[in-house]
Amino acid sequence: LRNRMLLGYAVPISLFVGLVIPVFSSASKVGESYRQTKISITTIEGTDRMGFYLAHMVGDVRGYILNRDEYYLKDYQNNVLKFKKLAESVGNTIENTSQKELLKTLIKLQKEYANFADQIIQLVKQGKQKEALELFATKKGALILNEYYELNNYFGEKEQEILDAATSKAEENIRFLVSAVLVGAVLGITIALITAFLISSGIAKT
């Protein structure tokens, strides 16, 4: 009887220990997947806003050429500052090496456009509005912007792939956790019933 009682305690404990390790491992993987998901979402939102700020820079330059209004110049400078701060924040968030390199290229292209825009602004300040318009109308600015937004789209697609992979892993690990808990519960109940039956049988015989 004593051996049966010891067996009744030992089996559930062994089962519990056997389940704890894989469950803990899967829980850790879920946490890591969630962290990567958060990084990817933050990154995608950040680069989208960077593109938004760049588009505003273009509009500000155009407005400054046509109106020579200081409002457009101040707004342009604010958008440049917002872009830089956000780019730095996104750069500190990204962990994927390839994505970091792509981000550096996006920042480089923005700087190229800023240099181009600064030339136009200086011409306007010097009263050379015609020359500023002619420079603005050249393909130089458009080529930089096209390259930026094409690369930005590619960057977004790659980050979405990273996000999808992290989400898929999280779902897979959650399914395992649910299955492990269910299996553990069923086995625990089954073993408890069998053990109770064996112990009661032993008591009845004594």
Side-chain angles (χ1 to χ4, degrees), residues 107-200:
I107 294 171
K108 180 184 175 183
L109 289 170
Q110 183 275 331
K111 288 179 179 177
E112 287 182 18
Y113 186 82
N115 291 334
F116 171 73
D118 287 341
Q119 293 176 33
I120 296 172
I121 290 169
Q122 289 304 315
L123 287 172
V124 175
K125 287 182 176 180
Q126 294 167 12
K128 300 177 181 179
Q129 191 173 17
K130 181 182 177 183
E131 289 87 341
L133 276 169
E134 289 174 351
L135 181 57
F136 185 81
T138 62
K139 291 183 179 180
K140 183 177 180 181
L143 288 172
I144 296 172
L145 291 172
N146 286 340
E147 186 176 354
Y148 178 94
Y149 285 110
E150 284 179 7
L151 184 61
N152 190 51
N153 288 336
Y154 177 75
F155 179 96
E157 289 172 0
K158 289 298 177 183
E159 197 61 42
Q160 186 63 50
E161 289 177 6
I162 294 171
L163 174 60
D164 291 342
T167 302
S168 179
K169 284 182 180 179
E171 291 174 348
E172 182 180 334
N173 284 301
I174 288 171
R175 284 195 295 269
F176 174 81
L177 283 172
V178 172
S179 299
V181 170
L182 290 174
V183 169
V186 171
L187 286 176
I189 293 170
T190 303
I191 291 170
L193 291 173
I194 293 172
T195 303
F197 174 76
L198 292 174
I199 292 173
S200 62

Side-chain angles (χ1 to χ4, degrees), residues 14 38 45 62 71 76 89 105 119 121 144 162 186 196 203:
S14 299
K38 190 175 180 181
E45 290 176 348
R62 185 186 295 111
Y71 163 80
Y76 168 78
S89 176
T105 305
Q119 293 176 33
I121 290 169
I144 296 172
I162 294 171
V186 171
I203 291 172

Side-chain angles (χ1 to χ4, degrees), residues 51-121:
F52 174 78
Y53 292 142
L54 180 58
H56 267 268
M57 291 177 214
V58 178
D60 290 330
V61 172
R62 185 186 295 111
Y64 187 63
I65 296 171
L66 298 175
N67 301 290
R68 299 189 65 180
D69 190 333
E70 289 296 313
Y71 163 80
Y72 291 103
L73 183 57
K74 289 179 181 178
D75 195 57
Y76 168 78
Q77 292 168 342
N78 284 335
N79 281 309
V80 170
L81 185 60
K82 288 177 182 177
F83 183 99
K84 288 180 179 178
K85 286 184 176 180
L86 186 55
E88 183 179 356
S89 176
V90 172
N92 291 332
T93 301
I94 296 175
E95 295 181 347
N96 184 278
T97 304
S98 298
Q99 291 295 82
K100 276 185 175 291
E101 291 303 314
L102 290 176
L103 179 65
K104 287 179 182 178
T105 305
L106 287 174
I107 294 171
K108 180 184 175 183
L109 289 170
Q110 183 275 331
K111 288 179 179 177
E112 287 182 18
Y113 186 82
N115 291 334
F116 171 73
D118 287 341
Q119 293 176 33
I120 296 172
I121 290 169

